Amino acid sequence: MKPFEVILHTLNESEYLTSFVHPLTKRKVRQSFLSRQDARVYMENAKSRYSKPDMNCLSEKTIEEALVQFLIACPKNPFARRNIHLIDFAETFGQVKVSEITSDRLRVWLDQVQKENSLKDITMRGLKCDLDTFFVWLEENEAISESPLTQVYY
């Protein structure tokens, strides 16, 4: 995985543009500002959110922040290869705190993915196992006591 980088562009004397590639979606994110100071503050916030893994208070981070740290720590993880499901998972649960995720919410999401994509149970078991690697990593880093997926079956 490439190191995270935010670039600050000067468009003219009074307009600045920041850009970076979002680590989950791999899409370019651009934001324009009228002052250089506002652009720098945004740049620093983006850097602190998406770069170095900070394992302190991982349970208080959002799923998106934890997922970025997980992908930095485990770049060859099988869940990373399921790009469509990874992005959908991040969009659905991205703003939920790690400590607030529940088995019921995950079950509803997995059932929805299965229905929308006409997936068989065997495929869902594979997706669940790949997703569970993220929750096992959270357990190992003491962000959660048990994976919420232990109560989900296919």
Side-chain angles (χ1 to χ4, degrees):
M1 182 177 260
K2 280 175 58 176
F4 182 77
E5 178 182 29
V6 181
I7 301 170
L8 176 61
H9 306 277
T10 303
L11 300 178
N12 56 43
E13 291 179 12
S14 62
E15 195 171 3
Y16 302 90
L17 178 80
T18 60
S19 66
F20 63 90
V21 176
H22 192 284
L24 292 178
T25 63
K26 306 295 187 226
R27 294 181 185 145
K28 191 126 192 159
V29 177
R30 295 179 186 93
Q31 182 75 36
S32 59
F33 298 90
L34 296 176
S35 79
R36 186 175 193 82
Q37 180 62 28
D38 289 344
R40 288 195 178 276
V41 168
Y42 179 82
M43 231 174 96
E44 292 306 315
N45 287 340
K47 282 181 183 178
S48 68
R49 183 174 185 179
Y50 295 121
S51 55
K52 301 174 234 134
D54 176 18
M55 299 306 175
N56 297 334
C57 299
L58 195 55
S59 63
E60 292 304 312
K61 293 192 181 295
T62 64
I63 291 290
E64 181 182 24
E65 293 168 334
L67 202 49
V68 168
Q69 290 183 1
F70 170 67
L71 293 174
I72 290 170
C74 310
K76 296 191 186 234
N77 185 276
F79 188 50
R81 291 190 307 254
R82 293 185 182 260
N83 200 28
I84 293 170
H85 301 304
L86 173 69
I87 291 169
D88 186 35
F89 178 76
E91 288 174 351
T92 304
F93 297 105
Q95 300 309 310
V96 176
K97 289 193 184 272
V98 168
S99 59
E100 296 172 357
I101 196 80
T102 65
S103 296
D104 292 335
R105 291 173 86 175
L106 288 169
R107 185 179 296 111
V108 168
W109 177 75
L110 286 166
D111 289 345
Q112 181 181 354
V113 167
Q114 184 175 25
K115 286 177 188 166
E116 288 175 357
N117 298 294
S118 303
L119 301 175
K120 295 185 178 185
D121 284 351
I122 189 81
T123 305
M124 293 308 297
R125 280 195 291 271
L127 175 58
K128 178 193 168 246
C129 286
D130 289 347
L131 179 58
D132 199 39
T133 59
F134 169 61
F135 289 105
V136 167
W137 179 81
L138 289 173
E139 281 182 73
E140 289 170 355
N141 288 286
E142 299 178 0
I144 57 175
S145 58
E146 180 184 35
S147 170
L149 286 175
T150 55
Q151 299 171 4
V152 177
Y153 301 100
Y154 282 95

